[in-house]
Amino acid sequence: RVIESLAREFTTGESARSDQPRTMFVVGDVKQSIYSFQGADPSGFTRTQAEFAEAFSKVGQQVKDLQLEYSFRSSLAILSLVDHALETAPGLGREVKHLTLDPDRPGRVDLWPVVLPPEKTEDQHWADPVDVPAPEDASVQLANRISDAIAEMLETGSIPGKDGEMRRVRPGDVMVLVRRRSELFHQIIRACKTRDLPIAGADRLRIGGELAVKDLTALLAFLATPEDDLSLAAALRSPLFGLSEDALFRLAHGRGPRYLWNVLREQTEQHPAVIEMLGDLRDEADYLRPYDLIDRILTRHDGRRKLIARLGSEAEDGIDALLAQALAYERMDVPSLTGFLTWLAVDDVEIKRQMDSASDQIRVMTVHGAKGLEAPVVILPDTSRPRSRVHNRLIKTQSGLVWRTASAEAPEALAAASAAEQEAAWEENMRLLYVAMTRAESWLIIAAAGDIGNEGDAASWYRIAEAGMRVSGATKHDFASGPGLRFETGNWDGVLAEQERGKETALPPLPSWITTNPTLPPEPATPLLPSDLGGAKVMPGADDPGELEAALRHGRQVHRLLELLPGYDRRDWAQAARDLLAFGEDAASDAEVDAILQEAQRVLTAPDLAFLFADDSLAEVEISAPVSVAGATRLHGVIDRLIITPEKVMAVDFKTNRLIPPDPEQVPEGILRQMGAYETALCGLYPEREIVTAILWTQSATLMPLPPGLALRAFGRLDGLPPRS
């Protein structure tokens, strides 16, 4: 309709009589219209062509119908089969006739013997899943035959190259096409992965349906909500933890209203590895992004190996897709575990992969997905008689949509509409076969498993291809799976190209770095911490060593009030102190808060100390500077109070010692080293200013400036360096 609206100007009004000719060029192929489920209608092609021809003829212009019969892709053998097999097939628009651009190019079409369903299937073990096909199932046998044939191709097979010379078959040369993603589709991928063949996996992947993804999301759901008993039970039974049915029953049965996680934690001796893994993941769940958390499960806790060992190598597709979706989620939203799980649950995410040959992997995909692609070797295994399936309960008639009824009870109008619908589906089925066969460049292999119908059955692709092979002149050929037919043109016994023969015998030498262990980088030097330089921090006999932890806690509490109370109104100090010391490891009772506040108030209200807490002073200043002492090259620390003026820089450290030294010379060695570290760092930052260090004793609310050089000498004694003066 869009093109009709644009082209209408060419045949009406002044535009039709203009001296400037208007032209239109349209390309299309009715034979490749296979997307009726997306609204494609091949009858609209010929109808629109006729309408354009009529409109242009009225203004004296002729529509030329040109047919491109040359094929730039397929060999003569493949095109001959297509022409003979689909010569009278309905729905292709016109006579099927092709000419190859290179008639001397070797081509081959193989028709394998049918894999018949077993007459009687042996009873499976009672513990096996009921939806897993038996080894003698026809689809399983055909998938194994295909993987065996591909393995042989990659080892000894050759195909004609673009330059006419023969070359080795590479994994990217092989494409397996099916009508739909049935059990056969998944069995082929499984069989190829079992043989370690390089295969690209499924062309479409629904993440929510993958068992490995279900196991991982069950574990993630528990980490997000520890009360989710069902998710925890599913995770415990998964390969990630491997609990047996009996172990889970004993764990969950009779627990009453208690959560499963609480019961599990009480049985640490029975399940130590499970508790250790869940504990680690729960500790990290609130801090790691979804991708990092999944990667931790797969790598640190060996989850990938466990899942693949139980579920098979095809589980890798789902695992990698889940990781890719976790990265995609982080680009679109704030990464959170609950958000990611909700996003996965709401959107039934299906990934469509770009299945080109650039990755040099075997491709298994649907015919619809292969539209526009090509491959030197194409295998069509899904050619048996399809089951008649009705997807839509509504049917379109001349009067509109009506509810479909049984054929025996349908009125004439409904029966006619149903017959027309079936005919259209049959015609599209023939077009789908045409597209499938014409994806092949040099070698087309046709196989089937199950019911292929009787000879001449127009609904069976295998029977259609078989009839075309006989007309084309195919001969009997013994394949590994039994006798079949082969139609071959050109010389397939040509000598491999020189570069291909070289690939068989000569391998490039390995670079030396592959066999050389890398040199470990040197461990970075640990930075010095001014508060942890050794030496005594208190006067001799001042504190009982048993009270050290309490003294440190008291010091942190006082520091917190001295840091933050200056920002509050003095009338609010009491309430602010309670709020500041209400939480965390240094939380204090009301009685403790009163004593701590009195100590802080003595400092904050002392007139001679007011300049330390003025608006232009700095609190809790982080500092980092290069040093060369005690083998360290860097110093990191935090100065309690820093006052910077154009002439001088003063660093003040708060100390809550109960016994205060009478003069600076008797200050404990550990405190002097700390102040010397601050002075060393500040000298490098402010080389043109006077650096002063001082200690504020909170018990007496007094400031003790340190004489020049005293602290620096103590800091220099760490490494025997000469003191700075």
Side-chain angles (χ1 to χ4, degrees):
R1 287 195 296 268
V2 173
I3 295 174
E4 285 175 352
S5 299
L6 295 174
R8 192 176 298 122
E9 296 296 321
F10 296 1
T11 58
T12 57
E14 291 293 334
S15 298
R17 296 186 292 273
S18 172
D19 295 336
Q20 183 68 31
R22 303 293 184 93
T23 62
M24 182 169 63
F25 180 75
V26 181
V27 178
D29 188 358
V30 178
K31 299 189 298 297
Q32 300 195 45
S33 179
I34 57 175
Y35 295 101
S36 62
F37 57 90
Q38 293 181 350
D41 180 13
S43 63
F45 185 91
T46 53
R47 183 180 64 252
T48 305
Q49 183 181 16
E51 292 174 355
F52 278 132
E54 182 181 0
F56 276 98
S57 65
K58 291 180 179 179
V59 294
Q61 297 191 47
Q62 180 183 3
V63 171
K64 297 181 180 180
D65 183 9
L66 303 177
Q67 186 172 1
L68 182 62
E69 295 180 344
Y70 277 95
S71 171
F72 295 81
R73 175 191 299 133
S74 302
S75 64
L76 177 61
I78 296 170
L79 295 177
S80 177
L81 171 66
V82 172
D83 290 350
H84 288 104
L86 301 177
E87 183 177 8
T88 60
L92 300 182
R94 61 185 71 184
E95 181 186 4
V96 180
K97 182 180 179 182
H98 295 89
L99 299 174
T100 180
L101 197 65
D102 184 8
D104 298 327
R105 182 182 182 184
R108 176 184 289 170
V109 181
D110 289 342
L111 186 73
W112 288 358
V114 181
V115 180
L116 298 175
E119 296 181 0
K120 182 180 180 181
T121 304
E122 295 183 7
D123 294 334
Q124 294 179 265
H125 190 271
W126 65 270
D128 291 342
V130 296
D131 56 350
V132 174
E136 61 270 16
D137 185 86
S139 61
V140 175
Q141 292 189 49
L142 179 56
N144 292 334
R145 289 185 185 181
I146 291 173
S147 65
D148 292 343
I150 295 176
E152 184 180 357
M153 276 184 210
L154 298 180
E155 185 175 351
T156 61
S158 59
I159 55 174
K162 297 292 184 183
D163 55 0
E165 294 184 304
M166 301 299 288
R167 65 172 179 83
R168 286 294 186 201
V169 178
R170 295 189 291 266
D173 295 330
V174 182
M175 184 161 61
V176 184
L177 299 182
V178 297
R179 298 195 210 190
R180 57 189 182 89
R181 298 174 186 86
S182 60
E183 182 62 33
L184 177 61
F185 173 83
H186 299 288
Q187 287 299 328
I188 293 172
I189 296 176
R190 176 204 56 78
C192 291
K193 289 192 172 185
T194 301
R195 291 191 61 108
D196 291 329
L197 298 178
I199 187 168
D203 59 339
R204 285 183 182 269
L205 190 68
R206 189 172 65 84
I207 294 182
E210 297 294 313
L211 286 177
V213 174
K214 290 181 179 180
D215 291 338
L216 288 169
T217 52
L219 178 54
L220 294 177
F222 162 73
L223 296 176
T225 310
E227 295 80 11
D228 189 346
D229 289 348
L230 180 60
S231 294
L232 176 57
L236 293 176
R237 284 286 290 125
S238 74
L240 296 171
F241 298 97
L243 260 68
S244 65
E245 191 77 30
D246 180 69
L248 181 61
F249 177 81
R250 295 178 182 276
L251 186 67
H253 184 66
R255 72 183 187 279
R258 293 187 299 165
Y259 293 118
L260 185 60
W261 168 236
N262 294 334
V263 177
L264 178 62
R265 285 191 298 180
E266 296 173 357
Q267 301 186 19
T268 305
E269 294 183 0
Q270 293 90 329
H271 310 288
V274 174
I275 297 295
E276 181 182 0
M277 178 175 171
L278 288 176
D280 174 71
L281 294 174
R282 288 197 67 214
D283 291 341
E284 301 293 338
D286 291 336
Y287 305 101
L288 294 180
R289 299 172 301 165
Y291 176 87
D292 294 330
L293 188 59
I294 299 171
D295 183 67
R296 191 178 187 88
I297 297 170
L298 297 173
T299 306
R300 185 184 183 93
H301 296 290
D302 204 21
R304 181 183 288 269
R305 185 194 62 80
K306 294 176 182 176
L307 289 168
I308 294 174
R310 174 86 66 85
L311 304 176
S313 55
E314 56 267 27
E316 281 195 275
D317 290 340
I319 295 172
D320 294 339
L322 181 64
L323 288 170
Q325 289 305 114
L327 287 178
Y329 168 73
E330 292 174 12
R331 290 193 293 266
M332 295 186 295
D333 209 337
V334 177
S336 68
L337 182 55
T338 53
F340 177 63
L341 291 172
T342 303
W343 182 65
L344 277 181
V346 171
D347 296 335
D348 191 7
V349 182
E350 184 178 72
I351 296 176
K352 180 179 180 181
R353 296 171 174 173
Q354 296 299 325
M355 304 288 279
D356 53 28
S357 58
S359 61
D360 198 24
Q361 292 180 310
I362 302 164
R363 292 169 285 174
V364 182
M365 55 200 311
T366 63
V367 181
H368 288 95
K371 179 76 161 54
L373 300 179
E374 59 188 42
V377 182
V378 170
I379 302 176
L380 300 182
D382 192 7
T383 61
S384 60
R385 182 181 177 86
R387 296 179 181 177
S388 179
R389 295 176 300 155
V390 177
H391 297 286
N392 195 347
R393 299 302 301 172
L394 296 175
I395 187 169
K396 188 175 183 180
T397 66
Q398 294 181 350
S399 304
L401 291 174
V402 298
W403 193 259
R404 191 187 299 271
T405 60
S407 302
E409 303 171 359
E412 184 178 349
L414 190 58
S418 179
E421 184 183 64
Q422 292 178 5
E423 183 178 1
W426 183 27
E427 292 178 352
E428 181 166 278
N429 187 50
M430 293 298 101
R431 294 193 293 270
L432 195 66
L433 174 58
Y434 171 84
V435 171
M437 290 195 295
T438 54
R439 297 309 95 196
E441 297 176 8
S442 303
W443 193 352
L444 176 64
I445 299 173
I446 301 171
D451 180 21
I452 60 170
N454 298 321
E455 188 172 345
D457 191 337
S460 170
W461 283 7
Y462 188 90
R463 289 300 188 185
I464 294 173
E466 183 182 41
M469 291 278 284
R470 297 188 187 282
V471 175
S472 300
T475 58
K476 293 183 179 180
H477 185 84
D478 290 330
F479 299 101
S481 56
L485 296 176
R486 168 170 286 182
F487 176 55
E488 196 172 76
T489 60
N491 180 19
W492 278 80
D493 298 325
V495 181
L496 287 176
E498 189 67 29
Q499 61 270 26
E500 292 291 332
R501 291 199 302 272
K503 289 180 182 178
E504 294 179 341
T505 56
L507 294 175
L510 292 176
S512 59
W513 56 263
I514 288 184
T515 56
T516 304
N517 291 327
T519 303
L520 294 177
E523 290 288 338
T526 304
L528 289 179
L529 302 178
S531 60
D532 190 23
L533 297 179
K537 294 291 186 71
V538 296
M539 297 286 290
D543 288 321
D544 184 352
E547 298 179 357
L548 177 61
E549 185 59 37
L552 293 175
R553 175 172 172 267
H554 176 75
R556 292 193 298 268
Q557 292 169 332
V558 174
H559 274 68
R560 185 168 181 79
L561 295 187
L562 292 178
E563 175 192 355
L564 299 174
L565 282 185
Y568 291 87
D569 189 281
R570 184 172 178 177
R571 292 169 296 184
D572 300 329
W573 279 2
Q575 184 58 47
R578 283 174 169 76
D579 294 341
L580 293 172
L581 299 178
F583 302 100
E585 61 177 351
D586 297 326
S589 64
D590 289 344
E592 289 177 319
V593 170
D594 292 338
I596 298 167
L597 179 59
Q598 288 181 8
E599 184 174 347
Q601 281 181 325
R602 285 198 300 271
V603 175
L604 295 174
T605 57
D608 57 331
L609 301 179
F611 74 99
L612 295 178
F613 304 98
D615 293 340
D616 58 352
S617 65
L618 303 175
E620 298 295 318
V621 179
E622 295 185 6
I623 190 170
S624 180
V627 295
S628 180
V629 63
T633 59
R634 199 81 191 167
L635 177 148
H636 297 325
V638 179
I639 301 176
D640 291 339
R641 214 74 188 180
L642 190 65
I643 299 93
I644 302 175
T645 65
E647 298 81 21
K648 183 172 64 174
V649 177
M650 174 179 278
V652 179
D653 196 72
F654 304 149
K655 295 301 178 185
T656 58
N657 297 30
R658 299 187 183 280
L659 185 60
I660 301 172
D663 57 69
E665 298 295 338
Q666 299 185 44
V667 172
E669 178 74 5
I671 297 177
L672 289 178
R673 292 177 184 177
Q674 179 180 358
M675 303 310 293
Y678 292 151
E679 190 170 345
T680 300
L682 292 173
C683 286
L685 293 172
Y686 301 98
E688 304 298 328
R689 306 189 194 188
E690 179 187 1
I691 307 300
V692 178
T693 55
I695 302 171
L696 175 59
W697 304 103
T698 61
Q699 281 290 330
S700 60
T702 56
L703 184 68
M704 179 184 287
L706 300 179
L710 178 64
L712 288 177
R713 285 192 294 273
F715 183 64
R717 283 193 290 271
L718 285 174
D719 203 25
L721 295 178
R724 291 181 55 184
S725 59

